[in-house]
Every structure is written in structure tokens, then in C-alpha cells.
Amino acid sequence: MGCVVSTPKNSGGNRRRPGSIGEVSVYVPGLRIPKPVDFAQSLGDYLSKNIVERLSALRTRIVVMAGQEGPTITRTKRKTQHGGSTLADLVQALGDYLPVLLGLVKDGSHLQYKVQFVWVNQEDDKEETTMSHAWYEVLSVLHLMAMLSLSQANLLLLPRSSSNDGHQPKVSEESRRASVDIFLKAAGYLDCAVRHVLPQLPAELRRNLPVDLAEGVLRALSLQALGQGVDIQLGMAIDSTKATLAVKRRLACEMVKCWQQAQDNIMNLPLTNGWGEKHCLFVKWKYVEAKAAAYYYHGLILDEGNTEKSHGMAVAALQAADEYFKESKKLCEAFNTSSPLSRNPPPWGTMKYLSEKIPKDTSSKVRINRDLYSYERIMETAPTLPDFSLALKPDEYQLPQVDSSWRTENIKVGQTDLSHLKSDK
């Protein structure tokens, strides 16, 4: 049950795309925006006026806030008139709506098919998608909560100049630690969407979901969040005098695994328009960048060996790191120049350190060993990276309990539903 209506991309102007999204530490592939829904018309014959008005008020708040903030939310750290973050307020509004919304799907209620929910897409060629299924609305809410969380992480990870000194802009340790928690929260929303919400939709509706909500995209976004969380951990390990080379290599190899799996999940999906194409480039760039870090630390550990073979493998690993680093810079440029335009923040963290160390250490080792190869030869001789399981896991987010206001709700059955019930017997 549940019908699908998709609006082609040339039919109107609901999808507003910025020409530039400014500085990007964390890529957010646009925000899907909900369009107004008339709950009174759809549910007035079945529910009390009180709960219909509550659903309407909660969702209208989200429509207004998302519509105002959507086009700019990836660019600026805007504040409300009370000094709070608009991002945090919108996440809170979604959190308030979800328990009331879940009443529509409670115990398989027929109400889940009564409302046509409309959302404006970003990565899909179709401008908007309408589905008469409340689980589609739940899925869209979780996706938006995850995207807002990634936006919050991006704002935390843009370097700031300190008013106390004239040093280069930097990201505080407090912001870095807070961002890891937010990444895990975003991954938790997406993991819940994949494991507990997608299975509630019939196979036909799942096939008709916009690519923004495709299982592969949801999984890739969750892995992106984990990969960027590991990146922050590696940066903190680099800054720590106690972290060993083995710890840094493990983190770098975990980062490679995250980005490789993210790329595997989206490589065959039709992500061809602006946001989608940029999304693919971001994942590819970060995957190659992670390999540069992993081969660098693997090379340093191999170089600690006392045999000629281990030194040779160390040189091959460092050469691979250097080649991947050069490739990552090209991919970074391709990402920033693809639409919508973006730019790198001032260098900081893992890649600021490695951008200085990889060329320097590789140059000295290669000069000592006088063993220069072509790109193909370097990649052929690069030693295999060790395989580590991922230590970071998504938060175990669970859908909230149905709001208590539904306990006293006496759901009425309409004539069409009675005829369905009789025919089912």
C-alpha cells in the first residue's frame, strides 16, 4: 500500500541550490526539505482534533525552519534570537515530532497509508518525492537528523582564530572531541534507518525511494561519519606524545576501511547531479587521502625492521603514500570545483601534519635507497596494508516510544476501511 508521486527536475523551482557552500571539513549532500501536509484533510475523519492539530503544528514548525535554513545551513553558523543554534533547534523540532508521528504506524495502523508526505530531494534527479506511507516520513526525518548532525560537525571543525593570540586558525580539542560524539550520533540515526525503518517499507516503495534515501547512500553516509570520526582520533593521536606508531597506523588503516566501504556502497548508484556527483568525489578523495596516511605509518613501522627486505618494503610503502597524497590533492581540487563550489578551510589536524611529513620522509628514504619507480611500479610493489576491524561504532539509536497522547486516542474507522476489513475476512 502507499502510492508514489515523483516530480521531474524541470517542473518547478522548489529545489534551491546554492552556487557555493563555503568551507567544507565535513560534506553534507544538501538537506531534503519537507513540504506542507494537510493532516486535517487526511486524518480528520479518524482522529481527534487535538492530535491532528498537534501533528500539524509540529510538522509545520519543521517545514518553516528547514525551508528558511536549508539553502544556507551548510555555510554559516546562524543563531536564533535567543542565542541558540538554528541547527540544534531544528534537530530538537524533529525529535519532538517523531514520537507523535510514530502513532500513525503503531500496531500496523491503517493510518500509516492516509497521508501524502512530500519531500524535496537533493541528490536525486527527481525534484521531489511524494509517498502515502508514514514510514517514508520516519525515514526522511531520520535522514534529516543525520544531515543536520553532519552540518553541526562541519561547523565545529572549521578552524577559528583565537582572540588571545595571533596564531594560525585552529580547531580546539574540545571541538574535536565533541565532533566525534556528533559523528557517532549521525551514524546511529542512519544505522537505525537502514536496520529498522527501511524494512518496514514494501519492496516496491523501496525501489521508488529517491537516491538520497537509497540503502547504499544511507550506509555510505554512516561510514563517512565513522571515517571522519577516526580521522579526528588520528589527529589527536598525532598531537599526543603517548600515542605509538602502531596506534597511528591502526587508526589510519581503520579510516581506509571506512572510506573503502563507503565507496563500495555508492559506486553503482545514479549519483549524477550536482550534490550527488560532489558526494562521490568527496568519498573518493577521502578514501585516497586515508590510504596516503595508512601507507605512511605502515612505511615508518616497516623501516624499524633490521633487514634489507623490510627497508625495501618501507620505501615502497612511503612511495605509495606520496603518490596517494599527490592524487588526493587532485581529487580535492576536483571536489571543490564541482557544483556547488566549495573550498578547503585553513589546514589543520591529520592532513596538515602529513602534508609536511609525507613528501619530506619519502624524499629522504628514496634518496638513500636510490630506488625510483614509475607510478604503476610503485603501486605494484607497495606492501599490503594490515587489516583491522573498526573500533568506532554508531550510537545505538532507537526510535522513541509513541507519544503518550496516543494512549487516549480512539481511532475511528472510515467507510472505505470497513469495506477493506470485510473483504479481508
Side-chain angles (χ1 to χ4, degrees):
M1 296 183 82
C3 69
V4 182
V5 179
S6 294
T7 306
K9 60 182 176 181
N10 60 353
S11 65
N14 293 313
R15 180 156 57 182
R16 291 174 290 165
R17 286 189 175 146
S20 169
I21 53 175
E23 292 182 343
V24 172
S25 282
V26 181
Y27 179 60
V28 182
L31 299 179
R32 296 182 75 242
I33 307 297
K35 295 186 71 177
V37 163
D38 190 343
F39 283 109
Q41 183 180 11
S42 305
L43 301 173
D45 292 339
Y46 306 96
L47 297 172
S48 67
K49 184 179 178 182
N50 177 55
I51 204 157
V52 169
E53 288 182 347
R54 190 147 179 242
L55 276 166
S56 297
L58 288 167
R59 195 176 192 277
T60 299
R61 183 181 172 212
I62 294 165
V63 170
V64 171
M65 292 176 70
Q68 289 173 344
E69 302 301 326
T72 60
I73 213 157
T74 56
R75 299 189 62 187
T76 55
K77 193 168 187 175
R78 295 180 61 181
K79 299 283 186 180
T80 65
Q81 59 182 330
H82 305 296
S85 163
T86 52
L87 285 167
D89 283 358
L90 189 44
V91 171
Q92 182 62 52
L94 291 161
D96 292 343
Y97 172 53
L98 201 48
V100 185
L101 169 65
L102 286 169
L104 295 178
V105 299
K106 183 182 177 185
D107 301 325
S109 169
H110 65 95
L111 296 179
Q112 64 186 292
Y113 312 115
K114 298 298 178 188
V115 185
Q116 282 199 332
F117 294 104
V118 191
W119 286 73
V120 177
N121 302 315
Q122 293 295 351
E123 296 197 275
D124 201 279
D125 274 346
K126 298 185 295 288
E127 181 162 308
E128 61 187 49
T129 300
T130 303
M131 287 192 178
S132 300
H133 207 300
W135 281 112
Y136 166 63
E137 177 82 344
V138 175
L139 182 63
S140 297
V141 166
L142 287 180
H143 177 267
L144 182 52
M145 288 169 73
M147 295 306 96
L148 291 168
S149 297
L150 292 180
S151 296
Q152 287 177 309
N154 183 57
L155 293 174
L156 281 172
L157 297 177
L158 295 179
R160 309 283 175 201
S161 297
S162 171
S163 57
N164 301 327
D165 57 49
H167 290 111
Q168 191 173 4
K170 61 182 180 181
V171 177
S172 70
E173 184 170 339
E174 180 186 6
S175 291
R176 287 192 279 176
R177 291 187 184 281
S179 74
V180 174
D181 292 337
I182 292 172
F183 283 132
L184 298 186
K185 187 179 291 185
Y189 295 144
L190 294 160
D191 191 52
C192 176
V194 169
R195 294 194 295 119
H196 300 299
V197 180
L198 273 180
Q200 302 291 340
L201 288 166
E204 183 182 354
L205 285 191
R206 286 205 299 273
R207 284 194 294 271
N208 286 308
L209 285 170
V211 74
D212 309 57
L213 300 180
E215 182 176 344
V217 169
L218 298 177
R219 289 186 183 278
L221 286 166
S222 179
L223 287 157
Q224 170 189 329
L226 294 179
Q228 297 209 257
V230 178
D231 192 357
I232 300 303
Q233 290 183 323
L234 176 56
M236 291 192 288
I238 289 170
D239 291 345
S240 170
T241 55
K242 296 179 181 178
T244 63
L245 278 179
V247 167
K248 295 170 190 173
R249 179 179 67 175
R250 179 185 179 117
L251 288 168
C253 289
E254 286 183 33
M255 198 160 57
V256 170
K257 180 173 279 190
C258 286
W259 290 110
Q260 181 177 14
Q261 290 179 8
Q263 183 165 278
D264 290 345
N265 272 287
I266 62 172
M267 63 189 303
N268 295 319
L269 292 173
L271 290 161
T272 53
N273 71 28
W275 286 112
E277 185 179 7
K278 197 171 182 75
H279 190 178
C280 291
L281 283 168
F282 184 76
V283 171
K284 189 173 182 180
W285 162 34
K286 290 298 178 181
Y287 176 38
V288 171
E289 192 176 79
K291 287 201 281 189
Y295 273 108
Y296 174 71
Y297 284 112
H298 192 38
L300 294 186
I301 287 177
L302 288 169
D303 199 44
E304 291 178 338
N306 294 320
T307 66
E308 187 177 332
K309 181 181 178 182
S310 67
H311 286 303
M313 291 173 68
V315 169
L318 289 170
Q319 285 182 304
D322 193 46
E323 291 297 333
Y324 281 125
F325 178 66
K326 291 173 185 172
E327 187 182 347
S328 77
K329 289 200 289 186
K330 294 176 184 175
L331 287 167
C332 173
E333 180 65 20
F335 166 77
N336 283 324
T337 54
S338 68
S339 178
L341 300 175
S342 57
R343 62 182 185 273
N344 289 346
W348 66 279
T350 304
M351 289 319 294
K352 180 178 188 300
Y353 175 82
L354 293 180
S355 65
E356 298 163 0
K357 297 292 288 182
I358 288 176
K360 179 183 174 184
D361 289 357
T362 303
S363 175
S364 67
K365 294 295 178 189
V366 169
R367 193 165 55 247
I368 291 168
N369 287 269
R370 304 201 178 282
D371 195 12
L372 289 164
Y373 293 125
S374 67
Y375 174 86
E376 291 76 14
R377 180 68 176 143
I378 289 168
M379 294 310 170
E380 283 174 14
T381 57
T384 304
L385 291 171
D387 183 38
F388 297 104
S389 58
L390 297 179
L392 270 191
K393 305 290 183 189
D395 279 357
E396 289 194 19
Y397 175 79
Q398 294 182 337
L399 290 173
Q401 294 291 317
V402 173
D403 189 79
S404 58
S405 60
W406 283 91
R407 290 179 196 158
T408 57
E409 193 65 27
N410 183 21
I411 300 173
K412 298 183 276 288
V413 180
Q415 285 301 117
T416 53
D417 301 292
L418 280 171
S419 63
H420 279 308
L421 288 172
K422 288 175 183 174
S423 65
D424 288 342
K425 289 182 180 178

